[in-house]
Amino acid sequence: MTKLLLTLHVLAAIVAIGPVTVAASMFPPAARTAQEGRLNTVRLLHRICRVYSGIGLAVPLFGFATAAAMGVLGDAWLITSITLTAVAAGILVAFVLPRQDEILEQLAADQAVERSGTVQLAMFTGIFNLLWATVTVLMIVRPGSTTGA
Ligand code: HEM
């Protein structure tokens, strides 16, 4: 059972977090070069980010189930990972997605998009990516854990 849950957890991370990472990273430069009437790419990138963020909820869901099955919910490495995952999700929901929305609206209304806006979005996206990459390292290294390799 644990193996099945862990497989689903890792699969969800690959299938959901991967597309968000790529699409969110491509969004700021795509928005910078978007021209009138050529918004489809930027819209699609935003849609991928929004839809796959939702699917990404499966990652902590299966993560908690795996942790409960393994009896490691109280481990320091896991509590740290859960905190970092929550911060990453918070940055995505509170900053990355709303700012993408704002930029899309400006582009759709033919308004000039400030460079500082896309730079700031790129910064939040970078922090999000760094956080979940750190969680992945923690999941594999599991510092202080006495179970497994
Ligand atoms: C609430 C958040 C999370 C919880 C509770 C959680 C829980 C777990 C647990 C219990 C394991 C099994 C570790 C072991 O084999 O001893 C695991 C493995 C793993 N997790 Fe998570 N996880 C979370 C978030 C994430 C995130 C955000 C990612 C990446 C995007 C991730 C990627 C992985 C990977 C790649 C493994 C396999 C590591 C290995 O077996 O070597 N997890 N997770």
Side-chain angles (χ1 to χ4, degrees):
M1 191 59 189
T2 309
K3 282 200 168 28
L4 174 68
L5 290 170
L6 180 58
T7 305
L8 292 172
H9 173 61
V10 176
L11 255 182
I14 294 168
V15 172
I17 315 287
V20 176
T21 307
V22 176
S25 303
M26 287 173 79
F27 187 100
R32 247 172 250 144
T33 55
Q35 291 156 8
E36 263 175 71
R38 301 197 59 192
L39 276 178
N40 287 350
T41 308
V42 192
R43 267 211 188 95
L44 177 66
L45 291 173
H46 176 59
R47 203 173 138 69
I48 292 171
C49 290
R50 203 157 29 84
V51 171
Y52 282 83
S53 297
I55 299 174
L57 279 176
V59 176
L61 227 69
F62 285 120
F64 274 114
T66 310
M70 292 175 67
V72 293
L73 268 173
D75 285 19
W77 68 270
L78 193 70
I79 293 168
T80 311
S81 304
I82 292 170
T83 309
L84 293 180
T85 301
V87 176
I91 288 176
L92 189 65
V93 172
F95 296 104
V96 177
L97 295 177
R99 268 158 210 255
Q100 286 186 354
D101 257 330
E102 270 171 37
I103 290 173
L104 253 179
E105 270 170 32
Q106 288 170 354
L107 286 171
D110 251 349
Q111 289 169 5
V113 175
E114 298 249 349
R115 197 180 154 77
S116 63
T118 54
V119 168
Q120 210 176 47
L121 173 60
M123 185 191 76
F124 282 121
T125 304
I127 296 172
F128 166 77
N129 289 341
L130 212 64
L131 280 170
W132 79 252
T134 308
V135 174
T136 305
V137 174
L138 275 176
M139 297 266 133
I140 292 168
V141 178
R142 280 165 269 146
S145 167
T146 49
T147 59

